[in-house]
Amino acid sequence: MKPIPNSPSLHQPYSHRFPHKGVLPEGCYYTLTWGISYDFGGMTTVALERSSAFARQDNRRIDILTLSTELKHQDRERELRDEGRIDRRVRLHNIWKDLTSWPDRKLRRMVGTSALDHTAVGDVLDRTGSEWTEFRRDSGETDLQVDRYHDRGTLLLSDRLDMNKRGQRGGRRISLFDRNRNIIAQWSTARALYQSWLDVVIGSKQSYLISDSPFAGGLVFDYRRDSVILCQVVHTHILSKPGGGNFGELDPGQIRYVSNLDSFDLVTTLTDQQRDDMGEAELSSGKIRTVPNLTEDLDGDPTAPRVREHGAMIARLVSEKRVEHAIRAIAKASAYAPGITLGVYGEGDERTELTDLIECLGVADSVRLHGHTPGAKANFHTSAFSLLTSRYEGQPLAILESMSAGCIPIGYAVDYGPADIIDDGINGFLVPAGDVDALSEAILRFLAMPEDSVQEMRRAAVARAADYFEAPIVQRWGKVLAERSFEPIVHLEHLRAVLSEATVDGQHVEIAVGVKGLEGRAPDDIYISWKSRTGNFYGRVAAEYDGNVVRAAIPISRLSSIPAGYIDFSVDLVTGRSFNRARITSKNSSISDTSEVLKLYTTKHGNFSGQILLIQ
């Protein structure tokens, strides 16, 4: 058989099959996410588009790694390629497809983190059918054990989740078997299993692993390998209640990786504002960079005729998008400019309430909910303006898509993104967040503009969107990744932090800690960090180190948002790529309390903790 013309032979070395253009640093590239959904939500779309952009701009193979069991039976790679969603150089891997298809010799490359417990063989469930999974559950249908099988029926893995007390969830043992039911390896957490799979897939090659979701970040924050540059992308707000400052409670889905940001070689935010806010909270030691998401070049024509009163909005029908504000703004504006219409493209659990609101306001002829519409952004070509009314954003792609098509965005100036993209009155309109009257007035102001001014604004919008097209964004990725090095990572196995003195008054918690086990390595940066046992509160402050003692002052105001309960203190040390954290040990004789807000104490295990007594 003759090779396909202009197609690289699969028998050629990797570098010869894909001669790189040098946009990205040399190495292998992996994107890690939980799954690839069929409705292509925000993070899924971004991961696919970035991976394909890397492949096109640098002529290299990109691997997307997924962890969801749902993808085990799906040929998502073929489907995505047929749909034109991924470049031909992008490959999709799923852990469960791999494990069920690998021969025993490759499965044996999976290295366990627990001593082998051969009694696991006796715990294997009887197979009751042809499905690849068997379950043991309690009376409340909570999983207590999950066994997985190869497609031909041989046992692959047994995951027992009630190791502490049978019948009661707690404690875990994951056992991997060869096809003769011999135990290959065992782990006590799913995170450790996933990381063993990454070791096999990535190997020892110099590689860049980009975690593309909070959940994935929580699984790999401690995946530290000398040959792997680990990056976490922050897609959205990290606080559970945005808008209340930078020191509030963290989103429960993000706290695991956010409280370990210095474990990553690189952390990227989509906007400068979010990078600055996270910097103010001292969450990372200089590892945060801004790399926006890319947007497609929709080739908008600023001179194409459009009905000025016709608007479009792409948004899920959920509370954080506040689509009801857009509906109310259209209703208000329609009283002064009849004929305004708004097409809303997206689906969600608020459809019924929004439909009722449309009827109540009498704007059924003006506002139409189109539901989930494939290719909805094409409507920006024929719409004159678009609306964005979110409570918060990571970076609103809908604004960029609108501008790329020459459709003028009108939106709330929320965190994050709109103000980074829109120059008010130049390429779009910004109004105070949550102000429906101001949104309505901006729509009317746009409708009253002379046509030549509108065309000038459209040109400016298209030009601004070009800053976010594929080539400049991939070049930005190449620049920030090139700043990283593959220097060895040091784990301080004998690191100890011992409290020398702690005092608390109405303004500060003053802490002095002796540090041992640095192995002669002076830290580049050092912090005192704390985490609450109730809720998802985490914070830290920079400390001074004189070679013997670490000293820090924590403002009481930093602890004021934490509800009554307990917090635990640690020392964080950053040296190059290395991040080490040590729980502070203490004795009560080292602690002095003079505050009614916070009581410091030593736990029964000899660790330094505090109890929030009241909220200021």
Side-chain angles (χ1 to χ4, degrees):
M1 180 183 294
K2 294 182 179 180
I4 300 173
N6 301 319
S7 176
S9 168
L10 295 180
H11 297 290
Q12 292 177 323
Y14 177 86
S15 59
H16 292 160
R17 283 187 279 134
F18 298 116
H20 305 148
K21 299 177 182 178
V23 180
L24 300 170
E26 281 303 311
C28 299
Y29 283 78
Y30 301 89
T31 295
L32 178 67
T33 188
W34 177 251
I36 303 294
S37 60
Y38 277 98
D39 59 1
F40 298 110
M43 278 185 282
T44 294
T45 298
V46 167
L48 297 177
E49 290 182 346
R50 187 198 316 112
S51 298
S52 291
F54 278 15
R56 285 189 293 266
Q57 292 295 316
D58 206 41
N59 193 36
R60 66 167 59 246
R61 192 177 73 200
I62 305 294
D63 292 279
I64 299 178
L65 310 180
T66 63
L67 305 171
S68 172
T69 56
E70 295 178 0
L71 294 179
K72 188 261 181 186
H73 295 296
Q74 300 169 7
D75 191 355
R76 298 297 284 127
E77 180 179 326
R78 179 186 58 79
E79 294 168 354
L80 291 169
R81 190 163 284 116
D82 290 347
E83 295 167 6
R85 302 299 299 255
I86 58 174
D87 185 86
R88 65 182 178 83
R89 288 155 288 202
V90 175
R91 300 192 312 178
L92 211 65
H93 283 275
N94 176 260
I95 180 175
W96 300 107
K97 270 195 170 185
D98 280 356
L99 295 183
T100 54
S101 63
W102 283 350
D104 283 352
R105 67 178 181 277
K106 193 165 186 178
L107 285 178
R108 292 191 183 97
R109 292 169 59 186
M110 297 281 289
V111 177
T113 55
S114 300
L116 293 187
D117 178 0
H118 292 282
T119 64
V121 176
D123 288 335
V124 173
L125 302 174
D126 292 334
R127 192 134 192 240
T128 61
S130 59
E131 295 298 321
W132 81 295
T133 305
E134 292 286 344
F135 296 95
R136 175 169 59 88
R137 295 180 168 126
D138 64 13
S139 58
E141 291 300 301
T142 298
D143 290 343
L144 298 178
Q145 184 170 332
V146 182
D147 290 356
R148 310 279 188 187
Y149 285 82
H150 292 277
D151 290 340
R152 295 188 177 181
T154 55
L155 180 67
L156 169 70
L157 180 145
S158 181
D159 184 3
R160 183 177 162 188
L161 299 105
D162 61 345
M163 289 298 297
N164 294 342
K165 182 179 180 181
R166 190 170 183 85
Q168 181 176 319
R169 190 160 174 140
R172 193 168 192 174
R173 183 190 61 203
I174 303 172
S175 305
L176 181 68
F177 296 85
D178 65 16
R179 285 167 173 78
N180 293 317
R181 287 209 176 190
N182 298 309
I183 298 175
I184 294 174
Q186 289 177 323
W187 303 266
S188 60
T189 66
R191 187 168 84 246
L193 168 69
Y194 297 143
Q195 292 187 11
S196 294
W197 172 67
L198 291 176
D199 281 338
V200 177
V201 172
I202 296 175
S204 59
K205 307 177 294 290
Q206 287 194 344
S207 303
Y208 295 85
L209 176 61
I210 300 175
S211 167
D212 234 314
S213 73
F215 188 81
L219 294 173
V220 297
F221 68 86
D222 57 349
Y223 184 69
R224 306 305 287 129
R225 306 292 188 267
D226 288 352
S227 60
V228 178
I229 298 296
L230 182 63
C231 173
Q232 175 66 40
V233 179
V234 182
H235 285 279
T236 187
H237 216 299
I238 62 172
L239 297 180
S240 62
K241 296 180 180 179
N246 298 324
F247 305 116
E249 184 176 18
L250 294 174
D251 181 272
Q254 305 201 62
I255 187 170
R256 176 174 281 185
Y257 85 85
V258 171
S259 60
N260 290 277
L261 282 188
D262 276 327
S263 289
F264 296 88
D265 294 293
L266 173 68
V267 178
T268 66
T269 58
L270 306 181
T271 67
D272 288 337
Q273 183 185 352
Q274 184 163 27
R275 180 198 65 202
D276 293 343
D277 286 352
M278 293 174 68
E280 182 184 355
E282 300 183 280
L283 295 174
S284 174
S285 177
K287 298 183 178 181
I288 305 178
R289 299 290 184 271
T290 301
V291 185
N293 286 331
L294 59 89
T295 192
E296 181 183 355
D297 181 358
L298 297 181
D299 197 22
D301 182 357
T303 64
R306 307 177 193 229
V307 178
R308 184 79 68 84
E309 293 79 14
H310 182 46
M313 182 177 188
I314 297 179
R316 290 175 293 120
L317 309 184
V318 294
S319 61
E320 58 264 32
K321 297 301 181 181
R322 292 194 290 203
V323 177
E324 69 275 10
H325 284 214
I327 297 170
R328 293 184 185 278
I330 292 295
K332 288 177 178 290
S334 295
Y336 300 94
I340 299 176
T341 63
L342 179 70
V344 181
Y345 302 89
E347 195 54 82
D349 55 19
E350 290 200 343
R351 169 178 273 275
T352 300
E353 292 87 341
L354 295 174
T355 300
D356 292 343
L357 177 63
I358 290 170
E359 293 295 330
C360 179
L361 295 176
V363 291
D365 293 334
S366 301
V367 181
R368 182 177 177 185
L369 304 180
H370 291 274
H372 175 68
T373 306
K377 58 190 172 185
N379 291 280
F380 288 140
H381 281 289
T382 55
S383 300
F385 67 93
S386 66
L387 299 182
L388 182 130
T389 53
S390 306
R391 297 181 188 276
Y392 55 87
E393 288 281 352
Q395 176 196 325
L397 281 176
I399 284 182
L400 290 170
E401 291 169 344
S402 175
M403 297 172 84
S404 179
C407 180
I408 301 304
I410 305 173
Y412 284 163
V414 296
D415 294 344
Y416 295 102
D420 288 64
I421 301 169
I422 298 173
D423 294 316
D424 185 46
I426 304 298
N427 52 30
F429 297 93
L430 287 174
V431 301
D435 191 335
V436 174
D437 289 337
L439 186 65
S440 174
E441 291 168 4
I443 295 171
L444 294 173
R445 189 161 71 252
F446 170 70
L447 295 180
M449 290 176 62
E451 183 58 29
D452 59 345
S453 297
V454 171
Q455 288 192 15
E456 184 178 351
M457 182 173 278
R458 294 195 198 287
R459 290 189 185 93
V462 172
R464 180 60 175 140
D467 294 337
Y468 297 85
F469 288 169
E470 183 174 292
I473 296 303
V474 175
Q475 289 170 5
R476 175 62 180 162
W477 270 107
K479 180 179 179 180
V480 299
L481 289 172
E483 296 173 356
R484 308 298 103 181
S485 74
F486 289 94
E487 68 178 70
I489 298 169
V490 177
H491 300 280
L492 299 177
E493 301 292 343
H494 304 292
L495 178 64
R496 289 189 63 218
V498 181
L499 185 70
S500 300
E501 183 181 11
T503 62
V504 56
D505 56 27
Q507 299 297 320
H508 293 89
V509 181
E510 301 277 355
I511 298 175
V513 180
V515 178
K516 299 179 180 179
L518 294 181
E519 300 177 4
R521 294 175 174 85
D524 297 329
D525 296 283
I526 192 163
Y527 302 85
I528 298 294
S529 64
W530 61 90
K531 189 176 183 300
S532 67
R533 299 184 202 172
T534 303
N536 297 289
F537 295 89
Y538 165 80
R540 65 182 194 175
V541 296
E544 296 180 352
Y545 179 57
D546 62 9
N548 294 298
V549 178
V550 176
R551 299 183 186 277
I554 304 172
I556 289 293
S557 60
R558 291 291 305 274
L559 308 176
S560 62
S561 62
I562 303 176
Y566 298 94
I567 55 176
D568 300 315
F569 296 94
S570 299
V571 170
D572 294 358
L573 299 100
V574 183
T575 306
R577 298 182 68 194
S578 307
F579 174 63
N580 289 274
R581 172 174 286 160
R583 186 80 163 83
I584 301 173
T585 62
S586 65
K587 296 179 180 179
N588 281 329
S589 59
S590 303
I591 298 171
S592 174
D593 281 318
T594 60
S595 172
E596 296 181 353
V597 177
L598 175 69
K599 175 180 174 58
L600 303 177
Y601 73 101
T602 300
T603 70
K604 64 181 180 180
H605 298 295
N607 293 319
F608 178 49
S609 296
Q611 182 181 10
I612 305 291
L613 301 176
L614 57 87
I615 306 300
Q616 287 188 326

